[in-house]
Amino acid sequence: MAAKTPAIPVLVSLLVLALIEVSQAGGISVYWGQNGFETTLNKTCETGLYKYVNIAFLNKFGSGRIPELNLAGHCNPKNGGCKVVSIAIRNCQKQGIKVMLSIGGGLGQYSLASKADAKKVADYLYNNFLGGTSPSRPLGNAVLDGIDFNIELGSTKYWDDLARYLAAYTKPGRKVYLSAAPQCPFPDRYLGAALNTGLFDYVWVQFYNNAACQYAPGNTRNLLNSWYRWTTSIKAGKIFLGLPATKAAASTGTGYIPPWELKSKILPLIKKSPKYGGVMLWNRYFDKIGGYSTVIKNSV
């Protein structure tokens, strides 16, 4: 009988290994704010499709610029018209959805001139969109969950400092979440240093508009190799597969993955990573007209 006892720890070890191989459950992140026909923020959250919503974009800030929010077609922040979005933000959060403010974007005027400028921008973001106070607050008094870095132009410097200053605002019971949307070529030109801080909770890598690291019909290798590099190279909470919700959603028209291919050939493999967080879609408008998230939700 005594000779059989070592089998118990062996069985436990095998069980642990099996559990590690079990696919990770994830959620869908989406960008909202760049098309007036994409439905309101409230209705976007009420679809039940999304776990994270990035309000896009604060696309003018830093280097002495007066910050500007651009919610194309939804409301005009210059006359206080976007303060009503507060009600929707709170409703989304009550449903367990994280709501982030996305800064940057493909069009805009933004950069950080120095470490001191990064601190100034962090203070502005905290007081106007997070847990601080300000008489302006473009989106009203609702407290957003965090800041999303969608940096695609301008200077490559000081984004790591901005991340550190924002993370320092975390308080007991009120965490400031950080997310980022780097391009898939590794490391990202603009966000490489920021991601190396290890402070980001969610990283939705844009696996599109870049032939070397995206899906192509009949070829999943480049994308999967890039996914592996991202998930094994950076310290981050969760990493997401960022995709265009339709072919037209990608500026180059490339990187779109038919949903049945995503579900059968890609998700089963990437979900084995302990870093897997889900799928990010650009954007709510294209997802609304194409129904991508509806098709993939139960597989994510």
Side-chain angles (χ1 to χ4, degrees), residues 188-236:
D188 183 81
R189 178 185 174 194
Y190 296 99
L191 292 170
L195 292 172
N196 284 339
T197 64
L199 295 171
F200 285 79
D201 303 284
Y202 315 115
V203 178
W204 7 86
V205 183
Q206 298 182 52
F207 289 98
Y208 52 98
N209 295 330
N210 288 284
C213 49
Q214 69 186 19
Y215 166 89
N219 179 5
T220 61
R221 184 179 65 253
N222 289 350
L223 181 144
L224 292 173
N225 286 344
S226 182
W227 170 265
Y228 178 77
R229 186 166 189 187
W230 276 98
T231 53
T232 57
S233 300
I234 66 167
K235 293 179 181 178

Side-chain angles (χ1 to χ4, degrees), residues 6 8 21 40 46 73 80 95 116 149 165 178 180 185 192 205 210 226 237 261:
I8 295 174
E21 286 297 313
T40 64
E46 286 176 352
Q95 297 169 59
F149 288 48
Y165 288 130
L178 297 181
V205 183
N210 288 284
S226 182
E261 291 236 13

